Each structure stands twice: as structure tokens, then as C-alpha cells.
């Protein structure tokens, strides 16, 4: 769902993305997950191990999950305990156990399951789009089966050693226990 324009904007810290990739990183690289299986782990795994932060853009969470598994990145994650994961939209949703049928758009997705690194699900972009209202989030959460958060563009969820903290200057709601 992201295209060349958004990838360039993200990498170049253009105005829409400046609050993420324009934070003064010493360096910023781009890895295309669909290409990683063709270049071999011996080449790209050292790049990932050297990174302090993995900044993962959005798109379709099921597509991202598929390519994280296919590329080997999903299997690599447990060996990176000190690496910070910063996910944007689907880049965060992919870490959850499920995204719900509401967010499955990739035609080849077998279901709505994702990586399950955390034990809650995320409904992003609360009130940013007409179809992402609190009422929509409530319907989504009723079927998700795990604790869940609906978050807006001014909200992040910080997870450190299993401890969950919502960091927000905006609107968010937690569903379930």
C-alpha cells in the first residue's frame, strides 16, 4: 500500500515523514524485505545486527508479516533484544497477534494473524480517516480476542520487557483486560 513516493519521503525525511526519519539519526538505511531472500542472510543480517533502531513503515500488516517471515527477519528478532523497533501503522500492527479482518487487504493473506511479539492488538489512525472512528474500533475490538488499543496519530505504545505504556498527547482507548 506504500509506494515509491512514500518510501522516498520516508528515507529523505520529507515534511510528511520528518518526525520519524528526520530525527537526526547518524545514518539511515532502507531494506526492502522482498529483496532480502535473494541477497542472502550473510549479507543483510550484519546490517540489521548493527542497527540501534529498526524504523518500520506502514502498508499492509499481513503483507509485511509474510515478507518478514519469508526474509528471515521474523526469526532474527528474538536475537536482537537491545534493538528498538519503531513501527508506523502496519509496522506496529505486524508485532501483534492479530490485526482483525477489518485490516486485511492483501488478497493472498491466509488470515489476520501476525507475528505475536506483543500480546495485544492495535487499531491505528483513530479518527484520521472516516472509516477509523471509535465506533469502528469498538466493533473491531469485539472480535479480536485479545486486549487491544485504538490509537490516534499522537499516540504511541511503548513496550519494554513486557511492560506496556501508552504515550500520548492525543486520543486512545484500551479494550479488554
Amino acid at each position: 500500500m506504500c509506494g515509491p513516493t512514500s518510501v522516498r519521503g520516508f528515507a529523505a525525511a520529507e515534511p510528511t515523514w520528518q518526525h520519524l526519519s528526520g530525527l537526526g539519526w547518524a545514518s539511515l538505511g532502507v531494506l526492502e524485505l522482498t529483496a532480502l531472500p535473494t541477497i542472502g542472510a550473510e549479507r543483510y543480517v550484519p546490517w540489521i545486527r548493527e542497527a540501534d533502531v529498526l524504523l518500520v513503515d506502514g502498508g499492509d500488516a499481513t503483507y509485511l508479516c509474510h515478507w518478514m517471515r519469508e526474509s528471515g527477519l521474523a526469526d532474527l528478532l528474538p536475537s536482537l533484544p537491545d534493538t528498538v523497533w519503531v513501527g508506523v501503522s502496519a509496522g506496529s500492527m505486524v508485532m501483534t497477534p492479530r490485526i482483525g479482518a477489518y485490516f486485511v487487504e492483501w488478497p493472498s493473506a491466509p488470515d489476520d494473524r501476525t507475528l505475536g511479539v506483543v500480546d495485544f492488538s492495535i487499531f491505528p489512525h483513530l479518527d484520521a480517516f472516516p472509516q477509523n472512528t471509535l465506533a469502528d474500533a469498538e466493533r473491531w475490538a469485539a472480535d479480536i480476542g485479545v486486549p487491544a488499543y485504538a490509537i490516534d496519530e499522537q499516540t504511541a505504545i511503548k513496550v519494554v520487557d513486557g511492560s506496556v505504556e501508552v504515550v500520548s498527547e492525543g486520543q486512545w482507548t484500551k479494550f479488554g483486560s
Side-chain angles (χ1 to χ4, degrees):
M1 292 169 37
C2 294
T5 302
S6 66
V7 172
R8 183 195 182 290
F10 198 76
E14 290 179 350
T16 303
W17 297 273
Q18 69 185 358
H19 302 293
L20 297 167
S21 52
L23 293 175
W25 307 104
S27 66
L28 180 69
V30 176
L31 289 178
E32 173 52 57
L33 292 179
T34 61
L36 294 183
T38 67
I39 65 171
E42 67 282 350
R43 180 146 188 215
Y44 76 84
V45 168
W47 299 335
I48 293 171
R49 290 196 183 284
E50 290 173 12
D52 296 317
V53 176
L54 296 177
L55 182 58
V56 183
D57 201 4
D60 186 294
T62 56
Y63 184 79
L64 178 58
C65 183
H66 168 80
W67 283 105
M68 285 182 66
R69 288 183 173 131
E70 191 72 21
S71 69
L73 180 58
D75 292 333
L76 185 61
L77 291 178
S79 71
L80 305 170
D82 297 324
T83 303
V84 175
W85 181 276
V86 177
V88 177
S89 190
S92 293
M93 295 170 73
V94 73
M95 301 303 267
T96 71
R98 296 182 55 211
I99 63 167
Y102 189 81
F103 290 107
V104 175
E105 295 186 40
W106 183 43
S108 297
D111 53 38
D112 74 327
R113 288 177 290 164
T114 41
L115 298 176
V117 174
V118 298
D119 62 358
F120 58 85
S121 290
I122 301 170
F123 184 102
H125 310 296
L126 183 62
D127 291 328
F129 305 109
Q131 68 277 18
N132 280 40
T133 66
L134 186 55
D136 294 317
E138 288 170 346
R139 285 188 293 278
W140 166 84
D143 292 329
I144 204 72
V146 296
Y149 295 87
I151 63 174
D152 69 3
E153 308 304 276
Q154 301 300 315
T155 303
I157 302 173
K158 176 180 165 183
V159 180
V160 178
D161 297 329
S163 178
V164 178
E165 176 186 354
V166 176
V167 180
S168 181
E169 293 181 359
Q171 302 297 315
W172 63 278
T173 301
K174 182 177 181 186
F175 303 102
S177 46

